[in-house]
Amino acid sequence: MTRTSSNNNNSVLHSCYFCLAICILFNLVTSAAVTENQSAQRYVQYVGNGNNERLQQMLKGVGAAEINWPQGAKQEVTDVKTELAKLNTTYVYQNAWPANSVKLGAVTAVSFDRAGNVVIFHRVDRIWNQMTFDRSNVYQERNRGAIMDNTVLGLEPETGKVLYEWGKNIFYMPHGLSIDPEDNVWVTDVALHQVFKFPPRGEGGKPLLTLGNAFHPGVGKNKFCKPTAVAVLNNGDFFVADGYCNARILKYSKEGKQILSWGQNSFAGRSYDVALPNFFAIPHALTLVPELDLLCAADRENGRVQCFLSNNGSFHSQYHNQLIGDRLFSMAYTPAAGGQLVIVNGPTAEMGIAPQHYNEVHGFVMSMRTRQLVSKFGPNNLQFENPHDVAVTEDGNAIYVAELNPMRIHKFLHKSLAKPMSLSASKVDAAAPLPMVSEASASVDATQTHHHPSGKAILVASLMLVFAGSTFALALIMAHRRKRGCLLFGTHNRRHAWEKTEGFKLGGLIDRNGFEKLDQNASDEEQEQETTTISQYA
């Protein structure tokens, strides 16, 4: 009896050990799965606050059942590359715009003033890299002081001539810019964690309204953490996208009193298929749809546009297409053709793993009625590298894209208005797609600035070829005459112009149109490296 009892005890003990081993193994597998899932996330660190505990639970996989993410039906696309190739190109790149040579840093935002001028916001000599902020999102380069050069430029829409500029010794890390119906200029600075309202053209250099606590990130009625964008209603009420840390949208009265706040962080992977409405993974840009009383936000890392009723913040609709991909940086609305969203996406960014989806970086036009893509566009019909913001005229005839690297502002005209493309706009290197070079992986020197060839350059090159051919033919004739002893000026050897290693260079004659880029040494948050396929810094 004792032996039987002992055997039973041993059996129970062995069973317990076995169960314990199974539990340990299960925990290891679960932990590995969670770790892999975390590695697939593409988001920045967040400020410690009341929501951070919930965020950490989501990251650890705790309480996922409470969220109950719906698994929506995925849009079937058999071959994204093929489908992208089928899209029409309805906008023509204005490769010679802007015409005047002006140095630019990373261009982060573009809008229009009441006169129709193109207004851009740029970072001059500042680059956002992994050392710019600490883990609590506190800016680490205050000792450099504010940017000493003008950060806001007003450009004439036809020629690109700089009409006015302002914004020196105010900003540390520019991000968003928009202009309200009264011509006031609204900007956000992610280093200052503040939102500013300036008078038209920044007159006086002093803000009319300032929200946020300088250099102190936070959450609450009077604090932001890396705010990204502002949109202003006709009555003066305005919205702020409190983007990188708090992932929320706030509505304020004209006087700056908070009315509404909505939005939460979403960390559910490719959220455009599964994320609930009102969940954001970096609300990166805002645009208004006046006809429908909507405010739309670019939900950047979820690759979608979410639209809300502007009076109460209620979710209305969302827009996504697999051809755009998992990342959508900005959008702008035009009432043309029944209402369209002009969208710019970004390079695929996966943390530590190979991209799972084919991705091309373009501008896209999406019909809000059919939710279908109408067309695509890009520089000389090729891809962008790191577009950051987009603006479209009310009639839909002109589109402007702000790009971080190359540091440029691009202009596109609808093909119904654009002049025939010059030879300089033809795709000489169409067989080779633009390299995905990032700010983080390359140091751009002024001598390495990319310039678009002009018609003058083509003409000069053609004349030089004719000259070289004529000279070569003349040399053959002279050599033949010399062989026959007919040269009048001697028989000693001469060095010809085409043999010289120094002196005349064709490049010196080429007219260098466009903006000259500033030197840079590090990455901007919206850009990515070829080796590390994550975009962490914007």
Side-chain angles (χ1 to χ4, degrees), residues 239-299:
F239 302 89
V240 175
D242 193 12
Y244 286 96
C245 317
N246 298 324
R248 60 178 179 168
I249 295 176
L250 303 102
K251 182 178 181 180
Y252 292 87
S253 68
K254 184 177 183 179
E255 295 73 26
K257 295 182 179 180
Q258 184 176 321
I259 301 173
L260 293 170
S261 177
W262 73 92
Q264 299 181 58
N265 278 307
S266 64
F267 280 77
R270 283 163 183 79
S271 308
Y272 66 82
D273 285 325
V274 299
L276 291 171
N278 302 353
F279 279 74
F280 298 106
I282 306 180
H284 196 256
L286 298 174
T287 192
L288 294 168
V289 183
E291 297 90 337
L292 300 177
D293 294 323
L294 296 180
L295 169 79
C296 297
D299 191 2

Side-chain angles (χ1 to χ4, degrees), residues 154-366:
L155 309 178
E156 201 278 325
E158 295 298 325
T159 65
K161 177 183 177 181
V162 176
L163 300 177
Y164 60 88
E165 53 187 321
W166 59 276
K168 62 172 62 176
N169 297 315
I170 301 174
F171 307 111
Y172 287 75
M173 190 62 69
H175 197 278
L177 178 147
S178 58
I179 299 178
D180 68 22
E182 297 179 354
D183 223 19
N184 299 306
V185 185
W186 297 76
V187 295
T188 67
D189 188 307
V190 291
L192 289 168
H193 305 286
Q194 287 182 307
V195 175
F196 301 94
K197 173 187 177 182
F198 284 89
R201 301 194 178 192
E203 184 178 355
K206 301 294 184 181
L208 302 174
L209 178 67
T210 300
L211 295 177
N213 213 343
F215 299 111
H216 293 284
V219 61
K221 290 186 178 181
N222 300 314
K223 289 186 177 181
F224 303 105
C225 186
K226 298 176 182 172
T228 53
V230 177
V232 186
L233 295 170
N234 287 330
N235 66 357
D237 292 350
F238 61 96
F239 302 89
V240 175
D242 193 12
Y244 286 96
C245 317
N246 298 324
R248 60 178 179 168
I249 295 176
L250 303 102
K251 182 178 181 180
Y252 292 87
S253 68
K254 184 177 183 179
E255 295 73 26
K257 295 182 179 180
Q258 184 176 321
I259 301 173
L260 293 170
S261 177
W262 73 92
Q264 299 181 58
N265 278 307
S266 64
F267 280 77
R270 283 163 183 79
S271 308
Y272 66 82
D273 285 325
V274 299
L276 291 171
N278 302 353
F279 279 74
F280 298 106
I282 306 180
H284 196 256
L286 298 174
T287 192
L288 294 168
V289 183
E291 297 90 337
L292 300 177
D293 294 323
L294 296 180
L295 169 79
C296 297
D299 191 2
R300 194 182 94 173
E301 299 301 302
N302 286 334
R304 62 178 176 170
V305 175
Q306 289 195 70
C307 294
F308 307 89
L309 296 178
S310 58
N311 63 336
N312 60 17
S314 297
F315 176 80
H316 178 271
S317 52
Q318 70 171 343
Y319 302 86
H320 174 78
N321 191 293
Q322 284 191 339
L323 302 186
I324 295 175
D326 291 338
R327 309 179 76 224
L328 192 155
F329 276 73
S330 186
M331 83 273 103
Y333 172 76
T334 171
Q340 294 178 332
L341 290 173
V342 179
I343 295 166
V344 288
N345 66 344
T348 299
E350 305 285 348
M351 183 181 287
I353 60 176
Q356 297 184 18
H357 303 294
Y358 180 79
N359 173 254
E360 290 184 9
V361 184
H362 293 289
F364 297 92
V365 180
M366 175 183 285

Side-chain angles (χ1 to χ4, degrees), residues 472-487 489 496:
F472 183 71
L474 180 61
L476 289 178
I477 295 173
M478 293 173 63
H480 181 68
R481 292 176 60 85
R482 175 184 174 185
K483 184 176 181 180
R484 297 175 55 190
C486 299
L487 284 180
F489 45 80
H496 300 286

Side-chain angles (χ1 to χ4, degrees), residues 19 67 76 127 165 195 201 235 257 315 361 372 389 400 433 435 454 513 522 537:
C19 292
I67 301 175
E76 294 296 332
I127 299 296
E165 53 187 321
V195 175
R201 301 194 178 192
N235 66 357
K257 295 182 179 180
F315 176 80
V361 184
Q372 298 299 311
D389 193 26
Y400 298 85
S454 64
N513 290 327
Y537 319 106

